[in-house]
Structures are given as C-alpha cells and as structure tokens.
Amino acid sequence: MHYFQYRDNELYAEDVPVREIAAKVGTPVYVYSQTTLERHFKAFTEAFSGAPHTICYSVKANSNQAVLKTFIKMGGGVDIVSGGELSRALKAGVDPKKVVYSGVGKRDDEIEYALNTGILMFNVESEQEIDRLNEVAGRVGKKAGIAIRVNPDVDPQTHPYITTGLKKAKFGITMEHAVAEYKRASEMPNLEILGIDCHIGSQLTKVEPFVDSIKKLKELITELRGMGIELKYLDLGGGLGIQYDAEAPPLPADYGKAIKEETKDLGLHLIFEPGRNIAGNAGILVAKTLFTKERDEKHFIVIDAAMNDLARPSLYGSFHGVQPVVKDQDGLIGADIVGPICETGDFLVKDRQIPMFKQNDLMAFMSAGAYGFTMSSNYNSRPRAAEVMVNGDKFEVIRERESVEDLVRGESLPSWLA
Ligand SMILES: *Cc1c(COP(=O)(O)O)cnc(C)c1O
C-alpha cells in the first residue's frame, strides 16, 4: 500500500498533485511519500512485536538524510556498507549503538571511523577481515563487536545479480569455515563476539529461503554454544521483496510470523536490515516526454530521465510500472520509453503497452524509492535529479537538482595544459 493514487485523472503524492511538484521543481525528480515510508517501517516492526528486535534500515536503498531521519525518529537503526553511509546516518542523528556495518571490503580508515563512533557491530565477511579488525581495534584502543556473516548456501530464487547467499558469491564466510573462525576470533584480544549474520539476497518473494537459512544458522549456533561461545544477536539481513509488477511477495506480517516461529527458542535479539521493502514503493521518479518517434518497426518515447537516473531497467532488466501524471492520453501503444543517453541499453520501459504519451506529458515511474536515486550517476554529464519529500499537503526539496558547476567540482587541469 502506498500513497500515490489518482484523484479524478490526476496522480497525487499523498495530498499533493504530482504535476505541481514537477512545475515547481522541474523534471526529472524523485518524489518520496513520508507517510508511506512510515507505514512500511511500522508494518515491518509490528511484524516482530513480541520478539526483541531492532530494524537497521539498509542505507544503500535510499540514503537521503530526510529518509534516514524518518526511520531514526521511529526508533530505527541503520545497516551501512561504507564510511560515507556512516557519516550520513550520524548526520541524520542515528544512535551509534544501532549501527551494523556490513560489506566485503572495509578499509582501515572506515574501520577506525566506525570504532571511534562506537557502532554496535561489524558484520565480518572474511577470514582476513577478522585479523584486520582485531589489529585496527588494538591500535585505536577499542573493542570491536562482531558478527560473522555466514553464507548459508541457500538459493533465494531472485535475480542473479542480487543473489548473495550462494557459495559462489563473494559475500560472507562459508558454513564450513564459520566455526573455526568464531573460535579464532574468540581468542583475539580486541574483538567481542556479539552475533551471527546472514543476508542471502534482495527482492525475495518467498519466505522459505529465509526459513531455510535460519535452520542452517541454528545448527551453527548450537555448535558454538557447545564450544562456550554465546551470542546476543541474530542478524537476518534484508531482502524481503516488493511488488513491482505481478510478483506476490509475502506481507511483512507473514514473513514475521515465519521467522518468529523459527527463532522463538533461541533467546537472541533479532536484527533486520530491510531496504527495498520499506523504501521501494514509497517513491516515484517523475519525468517528461521530450519527443515521440514513430517507426514502422517500433515506437519510441524519448523522455528527460535516463539510465543514469534510474539504472535498474538497464542493469537488471527490471520492471517499473509507468503511469501518466495526468490521464489524457488516447489509449495505449506498444513502445519503448528511452532516455537521451548514447547507449542502446538506455531504456526505462521496453516493449510494453503503455499510454500514448505526447510531447510534454509527465509520467511517473513507480516503485522507484529504493535503488533509484542511490544508483544514479552523472553519465553523459547529466546532473543528478532533485529529490522531494511529501507529507500530507506539504512538499519540500530534500536534495537540490545538481548544476553543471557540480559536474566539474574538484576537476582541474594539469599545469602543462592550463
Ligand atoms: C543491500 C543489503 C540489504 C538490503 O537489502 P534489501 O533487499 O533492500 O532489503 C541488507 N543487508 C545487506 C548486507 C545488504 O547488502
């Protein structure tokens, strides 16, 4: 459920006509509904009522500080994958004790920064990272809380690029090595073992892969207890999918029920790292038709947004629904919606029946609240889009559209060319 709905023939973001936002801020523009963000966060946390848990929102899905602050105010923590994300989250006011740090390649300076900030724990992804964490923690005189990210070798049945929990993936430590690594870590002076972690992939549309990985982790937890290694936290990562097209992912309540059932006797504090499930359907990308091209073979709608603004269709062949901001088109047409970028892969919609958009028509790409703006780039020297947050009948810009000056900031000519 989200708050992008039609009133008469006009698309609204909560109580604001999307047309008004586009008129004031220009296009392309990302528009987020704060009420939807809150509703999704609430649904997720309520799904685990009765079980001690913390929601550590995955910053990479949508890292705008206004979005982070919305969840932080509701008691959320964050899952970060870089020093940059930590800096954003701290700026937005996150409690460091609710920060978990994932990622296969943490640099020394990032580790130091996180230790000095006093984050809850590092989700350790390799044997060498364990040694490095111990070393850096010793150097800065802190103890590093850790969970080992275990790769449970479960197929999440999602797109291969967002599958992370198979043995062949670069993520985590394999089940076979995990026990030995816990033992090794438990003997290191600057580490404190706090938990166990897994994250098997993104856009999962079934509960079973989550349950299967918990079953595998439980075997490990039992083995660790036998060795006198007690854990406090069970971090189950993110990955719960959303509806983009015709998928029918489980509701947070059903996901919660299955997980509570599977973890109830463990006595561990649960941590979740949802990203897409909370932010995905809370945002849209609004763009404008520049030209239409009719050919015998094919019809193209050329718009002012491109793969640099919303990369998912080009990157994964992902589906985003497209809707007119004002419904006044003459029926449907089979067409591609493409951007101005000089790549054949630059499309947002491919071979689909869509409204017959005319020049200057506005359109909204749905479900663009997660992995939308955060994956955007400046390719073709295109300034990145503005971001707007709506609440009820109010809206404000939460990130200015980039300017052409922004594009060359930091560049300089070498002395021999100046
Ligand atoms: C990307 C990521 C998430 C969030 O995934 P979603 O599918 O958006 O819920 C959570 N944890 C880790 C470690 C990630 O890399």
Side-chain angles (χ1 to χ4, degrees):
M1 218 339 250
H2 58 73
Y3 296 93
F4 297 101
Q5 306 292 340
Y6 285 94
R7 296 190 192 165
D8 294 325
N9 283 320
E10 171 133 25
L11 185 66
Y12 276 67
E14 303 194 23
D15 298 324
V16 180
V18 171
R19 185 174 41 88
E20 265 178 31
I21 299 173
K24 178 140 182 228
V25 182
T27 52
V29 58
Y30 275 95
V31 178
Y32 309 128
S33 155
Q34 191 177 27
T35 310
T36 309
L37 292 168
E38 289 166 348
R39 180 191 169 104
H40 290 170
F41 185 92
K42 202 155 163 266
F44 206 99
T45 197
E46 280 174 357
F48 293 97
S49 63
H53 69 278
T54 307
I55 311 273
C56 293
Y57 166 71
S58 175
V59 173
K60 75 178 191 285
N62 184 327
S63 52
N64 189 290
Q65 289 180 70
V67 172
L68 302 182
K69 179 86 182 184
T70 298
F71 301 137
I72 290 167
K73 274 180 73 178
M74 298 179 81
V78 294
D79 168 50
I80 56 164
V81 293
S82 70
E85 287 191 349
L86 176 56
S87 159
R88 276 179 179 283
L90 290 171
K91 237 176 148 183
V94 76
D95 173 357
K97 280 288 150 225
K98 290 185 182 173
V99 176
V100 295
Y101 188 173
S102 309
V104 289
K106 304 175 183 80
R107 288 198 316 257
D108 282 13
D109 61 302
E110 293 176 306
I111 294 171
E112 270 185 43
Y113 177 30
L115 284 169
N116 286 325
T117 300
I119 68 165
L120 176 66
M121 65 185 189
F122 293 83
N123 287 337
V124 178
E125 304 228 13
S126 66
E127 290 79 351
Q128 289 183 1
E129 188 186 335
I130 293 176
D131 297 292
R132 187 55 69 87
L133 272 172
N134 182 52
E135 205 177 294
V136 178
R139 198 190 319 139
V140 301
K142 307 259 180 204
K143 245 184 152 87
I146 66 161
I148 290 184
R149 176 167 176 180
V150 175
N151 184 329
D153 198 25
V154 164
D155 186 356
Q157 301 165 38
T158 182
H159 192 286
Y161 287 10
I162 48 177
T163 291
T164 56
L166 283 175
K167 256 191 189 168
K168 62 184 183 194
K170 70 175 175 179
F171 302 95
I173 291 179
T174 58
M175 293 281 291
E176 297 81 77
H177 291 108
V179 172
E181 290 306 310
Y182 268 107
K183 173 133 198 334
R184 227 163 55 78
S186 71
E187 289 155 2
M188 293 191 182
N190 309 313
L191 300 184
E192 184 187 6
I193 292 174
L194 288 180
I196 188 163
D197 166 51
C198 76
H199 170 75
I200 55 174
S202 198
Q203 184 53 14
L204 272 69
T205 53
K206 296 198 180 74
V207 165
E208 289 75 24
F210 291 108
V211 171
D212 291 349
S213 26
I214 297 172
K215 285 192 199 298
K216 293 209 174 175
L217 292 192
K218 274 159 85 173
E219 293 168 21
L220 269 182
I221 294 167
T222 308
E223 204 174 333
L224 293 173
R225 282 194 172 142
M227 296 161 57
I229 297 176
E230 284 297 330
L231 310 176
K232 278 191 202 146
Y233 298 100
L234 171 58
D235 182 339
L236 293 171
L240 184 60
I242 61 169
Q243 185 177 4
Y244 284 99
D245 184 9
E247 308 91 332
L251 291 171
D254 298 327
Y255 164 82
K257 199 166 157 227
I259 288 179
K260 278 200 282 191
E261 180 58 33
E262 201 57 43
T263 56
K264 64 177 194 280
D265 300 324
L266 288 173
L268 296 176
H269 184 104
L270 302 177
I271 293 177
F272 297 95
E273 306 168 351
R276 190 189 313 271
N277 190 264
I278 300 188
N281 279 322
I284 59 175
L285 171 64
V286 182
K288 189 169 81 176
T289 309
L290 298 174
F291 307 108
T292 63
K293 290 172 67 155
E294 280 178 69
R295 295 204 190 137
D296 291 343
E297 315 77 47
K298 193 110 199 180
H299 191 92
F300 292 98
I301 293 167
V302 185
I303 63 170
D304 63 358
M307 64 189 282
N308 75 298
D309 299 300
L310 182 61
R312 300 186 65 257
S314 319
L315 192 59
Y316 316 121
S318 306
F319 178 101
H320 282 271
V322 62
Q323 297 186 5
V325 167
V326 177
K327 279 188 190 165
D328 64 355
Q329 292 75 20
D330 283 335
L332 298 177
I333 189 167
D336 287 6
I337 301 182
V338 301
I341 285 181
C342 310
E343 300 267 350
T344 303
D346 179 25
F347 58 86
L348 278 82
V349 165
K350 188 119 194 130
D351 290 327
R352 202 188 300 164
Q353 289 292 312
I354 52 169
M356 203 183 293
F357 292 109
K358 310 173 293 298
Q359 252 185 315
N360 297 321
D361 276 1
L362 294 169
M363 65 190 70
F365 294 92
M366 311 307 288
S367 316
Y371 308 107
F373 185 87
T374 51
M375 288 182 118
S376 67
S377 77
N378 290 122
Y379 188 39
N380 276 212
S381 285
R382 292 168 49 82
R384 277 182 294 178
E387 292 176 287
V388 163
M389 181 173 271
V390 176
N391 184 309
D393 60 3
K394 301 187 294 286
F395 73 92
E396 281 184 30
V397 172
I398 56 172
R399 191 179 202 275
E400 281 178 22
R401 181 177 310 287
E402 285 180 343
S403 65
V404 289
E405 290 77 35
D406 291 331
L407 293 177
V408 291
R409 184 181 312 134
E411 283 184 26
S412 56
L413 294 173
S415 56
W416 61 90
L417 273 180

